[in-house]
Amino acid sequence: MCVLGLGLIGGSLMRAASAAGHPVFGYNRSVDGAKAAQFDGFEASTDLTATLQQAAETEALIVVAVPMPAVPTMLSHIADTAPLNPLTDVISVKGAVLDAVRQAGLLANYVGGHPMTGTAHSGWSAGRTDLFEDAAWVLSVDDHVDVQVWTQVMNLALDCGSFVVPARSDEHDAAAAAISHLPHLLAESLAVTAGEVPLAFALAAGSFRDGTRVAATAPDLVRAMCEANSSDLVPLLDQAIEQLTSARHSLAESQSVSELVEAGHAARIRYDSFSRPDILTITLDEPDWRAELAAAGRAGGVIRSALPGPGNRR
Amino acid sequence: MCVLGLGLIGGSLMRAASAAGHPVFGYNRSVDGAKAAQFDGFEASTDLTATLQQAAETEALIVVAVPMPAVPTMLSHIADTAPLNPLTDVISVKGAVLDAVRQAGLLANYVGGHPMTGTAHSGWSAGRTDLFEDAAWVLSVDDHVDVQVWTQVMNLALDCGSFVVPARSDEHDAAAAAISHLPHLLAESLAVTAGEVPLAFALAAGSFRDGTRVAATAPDLVRAMCEANSSDLVPLLDQAIEQLTSARHSLAESQSVSELVEAGHAARIRYDSFSRPDILTITLDEPDWRAELAAAGRAGGVIRSALPGPGNRR
């Protein structure tokens, strides 16, 4: 396996895959990061071409773990040197990566991935072998995906201790807007609004702390994820604004926030009782396996042990 | 001390004050609640007139601990039977109680209070002696408050293990709108919006869970607090809607949420570094002691040990 980018996620993946018995080597742009990985006993290089040549020779699974802005350049290097390798990534937006992969001509062997884990820190030294334990690792089941590559990435995710959530890239991005990007903007707005009220910080307790926790995230990270997913985020912002505006008028005119409060409570209770059944009955060589996995994932299904199929040589 | 209403807060107060050595008796509307308190060794009655007569005879501090809708009736009983007793309350809105107290002709001996604590449960059996430990207990320093009564309630709060935050009733209510009522409505809106996106619950993690936690609160409680404080909540809702609308346009038109994200992060960081200095240098018989305490509370100051003053006989 070949990991490109040895930051928090890439570096943790190198550790976790190695601990699970996978042969792993990797590339890091900065000398400091590569040296730190070498010091910890891993095979890491700052020579991208040599690393990709090694990947091509060993037919290694290539994992792109660089920030989104660096992805297109990285993909063009891969297209030059290792165009036939199985390819995945660990980036938190999936539609933009999919487009870049298509433009680089690498679609045939690409399966998008997003391990939903992380910490507030970054860099090789922040990495942890157990970062993926019990995490949801989204694997894309877009129409083009190859069953052999999909199986290979599924096995990697399971070997790292994650469970796999199958999803289409476009649905992943819409869901991420709803459960991550919108909450960040609401938290920012709450912090700003309360920050202007005298005495508010003096009385702030659980509701405020929980509601603004993610506003402590570094602004660059929040901007990067919201702005990379604007086409999914804008319509959700419109919905939230419309609901709040309706509640505001109902409160001002008839002293009631009943409609919003009842609907919000019902939704949260549905979430609390949302079950995560194991996906057991889908085989990876049946017709429509991609659509079946997408439907199962949408319904809460997760893969905790490898599904049978032609690509699964385990 | 006389506690009217032996639910979660009133019942916990009876336990905590008694444990601190205060003689305590109380009234509860329901026979079950009063009997449960008696069974636990407390003096509790369902006879309101007899309880208030006892309060008048012993010059006890009366604590109103009934829900807001029951407050005006309770105050008229107090005005009939124990109009000269020192009077406080433990209700989460302060302006509405202040108005009711004024209408009942009981303003002279009234100091509003709000211990900022609670659990998800209610009733006598949910009460706990340590419910007030390390909690902020807001005491109003409105222009009318009497220093003797204020000192008496301050000592009660400190004896129960709380620290006292001095605040004007209007500022309390504006702050509560910002740090409690607005967060509830934002959480409801997030739950509703995400609940309509396929796959969202399947991918939901920390940001969504934190952002919607308070949407699990019983709708009646959320409605009661938001609707009782609509005059403070509506302008804050307008501000939040305006910020989100501005961010929405900036995101759609120039792919940027910079302004909201930078401001939200800055506000949250200010909150994280907000200090809670002890109020030590204000004496309760100096001129403008109410305004000085209000300013100190606004700046984050808290009272952890009794301030000196004419009413403080400890």
Side-chain angles (χ1 to χ4, degrees):
Chain A
M1 197 177 98
C2 171
V3 183
L4 304 177
L6 302 177
L8 171 68
I9 303 290
S12 295
L13 182 57
M14 179 171 251
R15 291 173 176 90
S18 178
H22 292 262
V24 188
F25 58 96
Y27 156 83
N28 196 63
R29 188 172 56 105
S30 85
V31 177
D32 283 357
K35 279 196 173 159
Q38 289 165 6
F39 183 83
D40 288 342
F42 293 92
E43 187 182 343
S45 165
T46 55
D47 185 335
L48 180 56
T49 304
T51 304
L52 288 174
Q53 281 168 347
Q54 184 179 350
E57 284 157 20
T58 56
E59 299 177 17
L61 172 65
I62 295 175
V63 184
V64 177
V66 298
M68 186 62 217
V71 165
T73 304
M74 183 59 75
L75 292 173
S76 74
H77 286 292
I78 295 171
D80 287 344
T81 308
L84 302 178
N85 284 56
L87 180 67
T88 187
D89 73 299
V90 291
I91 297 163
S92 65
V93 290
K94 299 269 56 72
V97 178
L98 186 64
D99 290 344
V101 167
R102 186 180 286 114
Q103 282 179 26
L106 294 169
L107 199 60
N109 297 315
Y110 170 70
V111 171
H114 178 206
M116 301 188 69
T117 181
T119 72
H121 305 286
S122 58
W124 170 266
S125 60
R128 293 179 359 213
T129 306
D130 65 355
L131 191 70
F132 305 97
E133 294 275 350
D134 295 322
W137 190 318
V138 178
L139 280 195
S140 70
V141 284
D142 299 313
D143 297 337
H144 76 273
V145 302
D146 175 80
V147 72
Q148 305 274 351
V149 179
W150 205 89
T151 304
Q152 196 173 1
V153 185
M154 171 188 71
N155 287 339
L156 172 65
L158 296 172
D159 288 346
C160 291
S162 294
F163 55 90
V164 170
V165 178
R168 293 181 54 88
S169 291
D170 54 358
E171 289 188 308
H172 167 280
D173 288 354
I179 58 105
S180 175
H181 309 157
L182 180 62
H184 273 84
L185 294 188
L186 294 177
E188 309 286 8
S189 177
L190 175 57
V192 173
T193 304
E196 289 166 4
V197 177
L199 199 72
F201 286 174
L203 297 190
S207 306
F208 177 79
R209 274 200 306 272
D210 285 354
T212 59
R213 187 184 59 83
V214 296
T217 311
D220 287 353
L221 294 179
V222 179
R223 289 188 59 185
M225 62 190 182
C226 291
E227 293 167 4
N229 200 18
S230 61
S231 60
D232 285 299
L233 183 50
V234 165
L236 293 183
L237 263 174
D238 283 340
Q239 283 180 38
I241 291 167
E242 190 185 321
Q243 288 158 15
L244 292 169
T245 303
S246 168
R248 180 255 183 249
H249 289 301
S250 164
L251 182 59
E253 285 149 27
S254 55
Q255 300 282 310
S256 172
V257 286
S258 168
E259 191 176 332
L260 176 60
V261 170
E262 296 287 348
H265 181 257
R268 170 70 200 200
I269 296 305
R270 266 195 293 127
Y271 168 69
D272 284 336
S273 61
F274 188 73
S275 67
R276 310 303 311 255
D278 283 3
I279 299 173
L280 298 168
T281 57
I282 298 172
T283 53
L284 299 179
D285 52 1
E286 68 192 82
D288 294 330
W289 66 276
R290 299 175 194 85
E292 293 214 10
L293 283 179
R298 213 176 286 131
V302 299
I303 300 168
R304 293 187 188 276
S305 59
L307 294 177
N312 203 348
R313 291 177 290 268
R314 307 216 305 180
Chain B
M1 195 177 99
C2 171
V3 182
L4 304 176
L6 301 176
L8 171 67
I9 302 289
S12 294
L13 183 57
M14 179 171 251
R15 293 172 174 91
S18 179
H22 293 262
V24 188
F25 58 96
Y27 156 83
N28 197 62
R29 189 172 56 107
S30 85
V31 176
D32 284 356
K35 278 197 172 158
Q38 289 165 7
F39 183 83
D40 289 340
F42 293 92
E43 187 181 343
S45 165
T46 56
D47 184 336
L48 180 56
T49 304
T51 304
L52 288 174
Q53 281 169 346
Q54 183 179 351
E57 284 158 17
T58 56
E59 300 177 17
L61 172 65
I62 295 175
V63 183
V64 177
V66 299
M68 186 63 217
V71 166
T73 305
M74 183 58 76
L75 292 174
S76 75
H77 286 291
I78 296 170
D80 287 345
T81 307
L84 302 178
N85 283 55
L87 180 66
T88 188
D89 73 300
V90 291
I91 296 163
S92 65
V93 289
K94 298 270 55 73
V97 179
L98 186 64
D99 289 345
V101 167
R102 186 180 285 116
Q103 283 179 25
L106 294 168
L107 199 60
N109 297 314
Y110 170 70
V111 171
H114 177 207
M116 300 187 69
T117 181
T119 73
H121 306 286
S122 59
W124 171 266
S125 60
R128 294 181 355 215
T129 308
D130 65 355
L131 191 69
F132 305 96
E133 293 276 351
D134 294 321
W137 189 319
V138 178
L139 281 195
S140 70
V141 284
D142 299 313
D143 297 338
H144 76 273
V145 302
D146 176 80
V147 71
Q148 306 273 349
V149 179
W150 204 89
T151 305
Q152 197 172 359
V153 185
M154 171 188 70
N155 287 338
L156 171 65
L158 295 173
D159 287 347
C160 291
S162 294
F163 56 90
V164 170
V165 179
R168 293 181 54 90
S169 290
D170 54 359
E171 289 187 307
H172 168 279
D173 288 354
I179 57 107
S180 176
H181 309 156
L182 178 62
H184 274 85
L185 294 189
L186 294 178
E188 309 287 9
S189 177
L190 175 57
V192 173
T193 304
E196 289 167 5
V197 176
L199 197 72
F201 286 175
L203 297 191
S207 306
F208 178 79
R209 275 201 305 273
D210 285 354
T212 59
R213 188 184 59 83
V214 296
T217 310
D220 287 353
L221 294 179
V222 179
R223 289 189 58 184
M225 62 188 182
C226 291
E227 293 167 3
N229 201 19
S230 62
S231 60
D232 284 298
L233 182 50
V234 166
L236 293 183
L237 263 174
D238 283 340
Q239 284 180 36
I241 291 167
E242 190 185 319
Q243 287 158 16
L244 292 169
T245 304
S246 168
R248 180 257 183 250
H249 289 301
S250 165
L251 182 60
E253 285 149 28
S254 53
Q255 300 281 309
S256 172
V257 286
S258 167
E259 191 176 332
L260 176 60
V261 170
E262 296 287 348
H265 181 257
R268 170 70 200 202
I269 296 304
R270 269 195 292 127
Y271 168 69
D272 284 335
S273 61
F274 189 72
S275 68
R276 312 301 312 254
D278 283 6
I279 299 173
L280 298 167
T281 59
I282 298 172
T283 54
L284 300 179
D285 52 0
E286 68 192 79
D288 294 329
W289 66 277
R290 300 175 194 83
E292 294 214 9
L293 283 179
R298 213 176 286 132
V302 300
I303 299 168
R304 294 187 187 273
S305 60
L307 294 177
N312 202 346
R313 290 177 291 268
R314 307 217 302 183

